[in-house]
Each structure stands twice: as structure tokens, then as C-alpha cells.
Amino acid sequence: MALSSDFINAVDSHDNIMTRIMLKDSMLVDLTLKQFQERLAYAERKMSDLYDDHDGEVFTSDIIAWNQELLDQQMVKVVGNFSRERVAFLKKLVRNVYAQKAQEADREEFVEKHKNSSFGATQVGVGLAVGGVTVAAAGILFSSHPVAWALTGLGIAAVGGVIIVKNK
């Protein structure tokens, strides 16, 4: 990913508020947080005053309370108190609140990275085939439900085989 000229200008002109706003917003634009990490690394190199001392707020570890309302509150607070602690909490909060979308983003990134690589797809297929056979064998040998494990393992192996064949 390339840094936008607007972000580079905000950092280079030491505009803390704009830099922080663009950093926090990038967490929501790219749920893999790669854009955020790239921007953060650039800002850290260029701005010695990027981070604030933490204001002492104690963040809840109760994941049940991690919701959109809390995320919105923290997105506002991080602009005024851009502490390492708040940024770390915010990253976890974003990934939790948008867990399903984050998983989809991760999956899309993986597919995009490997879509032109039949070798990568073949490796996945081989991995599934070997894994499926292993599950089937272990289920037959060690399970009280060997038929169920054998069928599950063989199903996984079959998926791997299909992937291998489609990529040949």
C-alpha cells in the first residue's frame, strides 16, 4: 500500500490532529490494519511528539462490553489522547467489533495474494488432502466414533484433491 500524499503532508507538517484522525480512520478503512500499521510506522519515524502519555483510563477487558458505542467513544478519545495504550486497545476493539468483516478482509487479502499462484493453491490442496487422511486415520484408530471421523477426514481430503486437480 502506498501512503497518500495527504497523509504524508499531515505528518511532514507535524499536524498532530490531522495525522491522528487519518490514522484512526485507516483502522476502519482497512480492517486487516495493514494500512494503519504502514501509516503508523511512517508517522513514528517522522514525529517525535506523535504519542501522548496515557491519561490513566482503565480499559475494560470484558469483551461483551466491546461494542460499536465503546468503539465510537474511543475513536473520539484517541484524537485527544493518542497514547500507546489507547492505540493498542483500539486495534483490539476494532478487530472485535468488526470481527466478521475483519475475517472477510483477511480472507480476501489471502486470496488476492495467492490468486495467481497455482503453486500456493496446490500447496493448500495437498495440505488439506494430507490433513484429511490424517484425521481419518486418527479417527479410525483412536476414536469411539471411527466412522464419523473417517468420513470427515475423507471429506477434507476430497476437498484438497479437488483443489489440486483444478490447479493442474
Side-chain angles (χ1 to χ4, degrees):
M1 286 181 203
L3 297 173
S4 70
S5 59
D6 289 339
F7 182 75
I8 290 170
N9 290 337
V11 171
D12 289 349
S13 65
H14 291 282
D15 185 343
N16 275 9
I17 299 297
M18 186 56 68
T19 299
R20 292 171 178 187
I21 289 170
M22 294 174 88
L23 279 166
K24 71 151 180 99
D25 287 350
S26 69
M27 288 185 193
L28 301 176
V29 171
D30 172 22
L31 296 174
T32 67
L33 301 179
K34 288 189 187 233
Q35 182 184 75
F36 171 78
Q37 287 303 131
E38 182 180 11
R39 286 181 171 193
L40 183 63
Y42 181 80
E44 286 175 336
R45 285 192 309 271
K46 299 280 190 166
M47 300 175 74
S48 60
D49 60 343
L50 177 64
Y51 290 104
D52 296 322
D53 292 332
H54 186 60
D55 63 5
E57 179 177 354
V58 177
F59 304 115
T60 181
S61 58
D62 178 12
I63 294 176
I64 307 278
W66 292 9
N67 57 28
Q68 187 66 52
E69 182 180 346
L70 179 61
L71 176 61
D72 293 344
Q73 292 168 358
Q74 290 302 318
M75 284 290 190
V76 171
K77 288 181 178 182
V78 77
V79 175
N81 182 239
F82 199 85
S83 66
R84 292 179 189 277
E85 295 87 351
R86 188 174 310 280
V87 169
F89 178 65
L90 196 50
K91 285 168 41 179
K92 290 184 218 173
L93 194 55
V94 165
R95 293 289 290 185
N96 185 277
V97 170
Y98 293 111
Q100 184 174 352
K101 287 183 181 179
Q103 287 173 349
E104 289 171 16
D106 289 342
R107 190 173 23 252
E108 287 172 10
E109 180 187 25
F110 178 84
V111 168
E112 185 64 30
K113 184 177 179 181
H114 295 94
K115 75 178 181 180
N116 294 325
S117 169
S118 62
F119 178 72
T122 301
Q123 280 183 314
V124 170
V126 169
L128 285 171
V130 170
V133 170
T134 303
V135 167
I140 290 169
L141 294 173
F142 303 111
S143 174
S144 59
H145 303 287
V147 173
W149 280 104
L151 291 174
T152 301
L154 292 175
I156 294 169
V159 169
V162 168
I163 290 172
I164 294 168
V165 169
K166 284 183 80 176
N167 286 288
K168 291 290 181 189

